[in-house]
Amino acid sequence: MTGWMRHAPRRVAVSACGIAAVLLFVGAPAHVADLLRHGLRPYGWAPGWLNLYWSSLALFDVLAAVFLLRGERRGLDLACVVVATDLAANWYAVYGLRHSDLAAQPGLQRLAVFAAVVLGTAPFVRRHLPR
């Protein structure tokens, strides 16, 4: 962990949790809308397991955001799992299934930045959250 992160005040950790929670809340409605419009298979080109994973984010995005806003460590843990697996799933979909690349996928670019922020600040933020 870098020096400034080790000594940053608690308000920085609270801000990081708040930003992550807001961005998780922003992503959840897209998954809910997909569920309402298309059911558990919103993307016909994707395998069933991948569709089910993306549909599950309607719940897990909201849970992680709520736990983060409540200042719970499990919110940070869940947010890390969600962004890491979501990035991996989307990367697989873009490269493995759609045969595209990062430059052509602004959604994947945004997700990669969000994942980097969440995962990069998690060790610092974790220190400031109660067990």
Side-chain angles (χ1 to χ4, degrees), residues 45-77:
W45 51 265
W49 64 268
L50 195 52
N51 275 294
L52 186 59
Y53 169 75
W54 281 324
S55 295
S56 74
L57 291 180
L59 171 66
F60 291 120
D61 281 355
V62 173
L63 274 177
V66 167
F67 291 151
L68 278 172
L69 290 177
R70 290 174 51 183
E72 297 180 27
R73 189 177 279 190
R74 64 182 170 175
L76 179 63
D77 295 340

Side-chain angles (χ1 to χ4, degrees), residues 72-122:
E72 297 180 27
R73 189 177 279 190
R74 64 182 170 175
L76 179 63
D77 295 340
L78 184 55
C80 288
V81 168
V82 165
V83 299
T85 58
D86 195 17
L87 183 60
N90 279 282
W91 208 284
Y92 170 70
V94 166
Y95 288 100
L97 299 175
R98 306 294 288 201
H99 307 291
S100 186
D101 61 22
L102 184 63
Q105 302 293 327
L108 182 58
Q109 294 168 8
R110 288 188 297 270
L111 180 59
V113 170
F114 178 50
V117 169
V118 170
L119 297 172
T121 61

